[in-house]
Amino acid sequence: MGANEEPIFLRSNAIIEPLVDGFYAWLYTVAPVQAAMNLAFLQVPLLESFLRNPQVHVAAVNNPALRGGYFVGIAEERKDEVAALLESIKRDRADMLAFAAAVAEGEELLRQNATGFDLTPLYPKLPAALNGLVELAYDTNNQPSMHYLEPLVYHSPVYDEGRQSVQLSLEDGVERPFILSTPRLSDPRVLDLSLPFRHPGLEELFRARTKPTTAARLREALELDDAGARKLDSLLDTRPSLAEDRHIDAGGRVRYFGHACLVLQTAEAAIVTDPFISADNRHGDRFTLDDLPDFIDLVLITHGHQDHIVLETMLQLRGRVGSVVVPRSSRGNLADPNIALYLKHLGLPVTEVDDFDEVPFPGGKVTATPFLGEHSDLDIRGKSTYWVELAGKSVFVGADSSGIDPVLYRYIRNHLGTADMAFLGMECDGAPLTWLYQALLTKPVTKKMSDSRKLSGSNAAQAGDILVELGAREAYIYAMGEESWQGHVMATTYTEDTYQLKQIDEFLGWCRDRGIPAEHLFNKREWRW
């Protein structure tokens, strides 16, 4: 048997970075309306700023106090490559850039002319790029808005799969550049695949984590030339590195994989929440992709932020997931892209749910439950917490939902009963409105206004209220980006005096006083029953 025909597997520590025009891909840079806005009003200006003064960007990236800021982390000597990237975007993405300009113009048209009277005369005045893709409407307070017909936009020139590519490399333990600001340039150590995310060859590649294939078959599936095939060889191994205990034979198990990722298992089924999973299995201090069960019945997505739908993990689950459960969005709201449409266009099977919708799985069921706050007071409906019933236990997956109105959780308890375990996020002093949503704001807001509207979850008092209303018997707080392998996405920096950590300590003390088992999670944890 030739070398190209030997059974091989994708190495455990292979990193997959999905890209659009060189930038790390996430919901708001792939879903077409939001992607156009981010490209035109964030990414292009960011590259232009770097080219005007690269030294400022390099200095900022190396300043720990500015971690997570919008600075391009590329060496000045590669300035010409950045200039070439910017030129290609302006040339090849003209339709997207024109659409973004049209959105801003259309929004201003509404602000100036939609005064409570008939909107019909405004349609002929809309920019041509919007024709057939939007509907104008008032709410019951006579506030006008423009709704985007998202399924149509995916079939327009605004959605261009030619933007999409994937970079493959091996984990080296060095923190990658922050995903919201630094594009990925080519590198001799990296395999660049100019393939759309839904390409069947990628599914073939990712399946090789658990099922053997051959180098020849992968070369054909990924459409590689000789140079690409040589780079691919470095990502392959003759043996899988799967954990022997990735399945269980009886009872129930919950494993914490870091951030908001849980793997809930019985002998019959496996459920994964917000997959954000390390590929680096050298340390033993974390669960990695090696520890995932071979088949996952349901993946539960709580909301669309870049740390909860992590494409570098999600794409690797293609072919081994029954369905991805996502919250129903509001249909056409600029700030609320349709998560189901997005994932379907990436080749993933999707189930869309609303509050109290039920999704069965072998031996149990998931119920979608409401999610409050954490989105800077924008009208974003695409968010859900979940109630998972398996092996005789009820687990509340709270993500970053806030306890700003604790009565909500009373309704959940009245409908579903008492929670055995509650998992909560307590990022209670989150980033301001403009940090994540600046590109979508066609009308400027003041810094004071932006700073008042944060991406915040529960503080100690609100987390306590949630626990009381749910009657939860145990409480677990996510690490919220403290794990070392998440810096490129989270870019958080905590110290002993950080407000969020003090609030977590206060909440844990509150739980101790009431005899409620509670922990602040970090890296890995396992529960069996």
Side-chain angles (χ1 to χ4, degrees), residues 380-409:
I380 293 176
R381 303 293 94 214
K383 53 187 181 179
S384 180
T385 58
Y386 295 97
W387 187 279
V388 183
E389 298 175 42
L390 79 169
K393 283 192 180 291
S394 296
V395 179
F396 177 67
V397 180
D400 300 327
S401 183
S402 172
I404 48 178
D405 185 356
V407 177
L408 164 70
Y409 302 93

Side-chain angles (χ1 to χ4, degrees), residues 67 171 175-179 256-261 274-278 286-287 306-307 310 312 478-492 494 522-523:
R67 190 175 187 223
E171 173 67 67
E175 184 173 306
R176 289 175 267 164
F178 182 45
I179 65 168
Y256 176 67
F257 273 58
H259 199 51
C261 181
D274 291 343
F276 185 0
I277 302 174
S278 174
R286 69 197 68 167
F287 294 120
Q306 72 279 7
D307 54 323
V310 183
E312 69 176 79
Y478 303 130
M480 303 182 307
E482 297 170 90
E483 286 101 357
S484 61
W485 67 90
Q486 298 169 0
H488 63 298
V489 175
M490 299 298 297
T492 49
Y494 297 124
F522 182 67
N523 277 358

